[in-house]
Amino acid sequence: MSAMTDEELDQAFLALADPTRRSLLARLALGDATVGELAAPFAMSLQAVSKHLTVLEQAKLITRRRDAQRRPCSLNREAIGPLVDWLDAYRRRTEERFQRIDDLLARTDGSSPTP
Amino acid sequence: MSAMTDEELDQAFLALADPTRRSLLARLALGDATVGELAAPFAMSLQAVSKHLTVLEQAKLITRRRDAQRRPCSLNREAIGPLVDWLDAYRRRTEERFQRIDDLLARTDGSSPTP
DNA sequence: CCTTTGATCAACCGATCAGTTGAATAGAAC
DNA sequence: GTTCTATTCAACTGATCGGTTGATCAAAGG
C-alpha cells in the first residue's frame, strides 16, 4: 500500500529532526493556524518559521491553503501512516533479528538471553 | 515509560534521515557486522561509513563493542520502541484533530467530511 | 622485531541548514 | 489610490553534514 521512496523518507525524517518543527506540528494538532499565529510563541523571526513550514510542507507533513493574505496550515492526515509503517517494519526486522539470537543462545546453552 | 528528550528525538530522526544509514540498519537486522563488512557494499570510503556508524551509535540505534582490531556493530533492541511511541502519539493527536473536524462538519451539515 | 589488518583521528572541502535582515508581493481596509 | 497587514523572496552568515585523503593507533601474525 504505502511504501515511501528513499527521498520521501529522507525528507520526512529530516523534517521531524528539529524541535521547532515538531513543536509546530504539535500546535497544528490543536487546530489550523496561520504563519503569524504559529510564529508568535517562538523567539525567532516569522521568516524563520515560514521556512520551517516550507520544510514541513515539502515533507508532506502539512498542507497550506490560501485565505486572502493569510496562509493557514493544516496537518496532512495521510502523512503519518506510511511513517509508522516504515518504523513498524524496522521494528519487526529488529525483533526477528533478536529472536534469532535468543534461539541460538537457547539451543547452545540455557543461559539468560539478555543479561 | 519511554519518553525521549528533544535532543534524543533530534538525533534519532536525523540518523534515520539518510539512505546510507537506513541501509546500514537494514544490513544489521540480518546480523552483526564489522565496519569493513558494512562498508564493502557501498561506493564510499570506509571512513565515511565509520562516521555514519558513529551517528547511529550516538542516536542509540546501534551499539559497538570490541573484538581484537574489529569493532562489530549490533542493532540496539531498545531504540525502536520509544520512536514508535512518539510517532503513535503524534498519530493519535492528529487523528483526534481530524475527528474534531469531522464532528464539526457533521454537526453543521451532512456533507462528506473528507472530499 | 616488523608487517599486515581493522579501524579511528584529523584536516579539509563543497553543500546544505537554521537563522538573520531588508525588500517585494498580494490582498483588505480606509 | 494609499496604507496597512500577512506572507514570501532574496541575500547573507555561521554551523553542521557528508564526503574525501593521509596519518595514526591497536592488535594479530609472520
Side-chain angles (χ1 to χ4, degrees), chain A residues 14 21 44-45 47-48 51-52 68-69:
Chain A
L14 188 66
R21 287 192 292 260
M44 70 177 72
S45 69
Q47 289 97 317
K51 282 190 184 182
H52 281 301
Q69 321 98 302

Side-chain angles (χ1 to χ4, degrees), chain B residues 65-102:
Chain B
R65 61 189 184 288
R66 211 175 217 313
D67 167 30
Q69 322 97 303
R70 267 151 245 110
R71 302 293 307 276
C73 302
S74 310
L75 291 184
N76 176 17
R77 188 173 208 161
E78 280 73 39
I80 310 102
L83 276 179
V84 173
D85 289 350
W86 188 91
L87 260 197
D88 269 342
Y90 175 55
R91 172 161 63 177
R92 184 177 42 72
R93 288 197 302 271
T94 301
E95 285 178 358
E96 281 168 7
R97 160 82 189 122
F98 284 103
Q99 193 56 53
R100 283 197 298 279
I101 292 178
D102 289 351

Side-chain angles (χ1 to χ4, degrees), chain B residues 7 38 57 83 95 104-105:
Chain B
E7 205 186 338
L38 289 167
E57 186 182 34
L83 276 179
E95 285 178 358
L104 204 66
L105 287 174

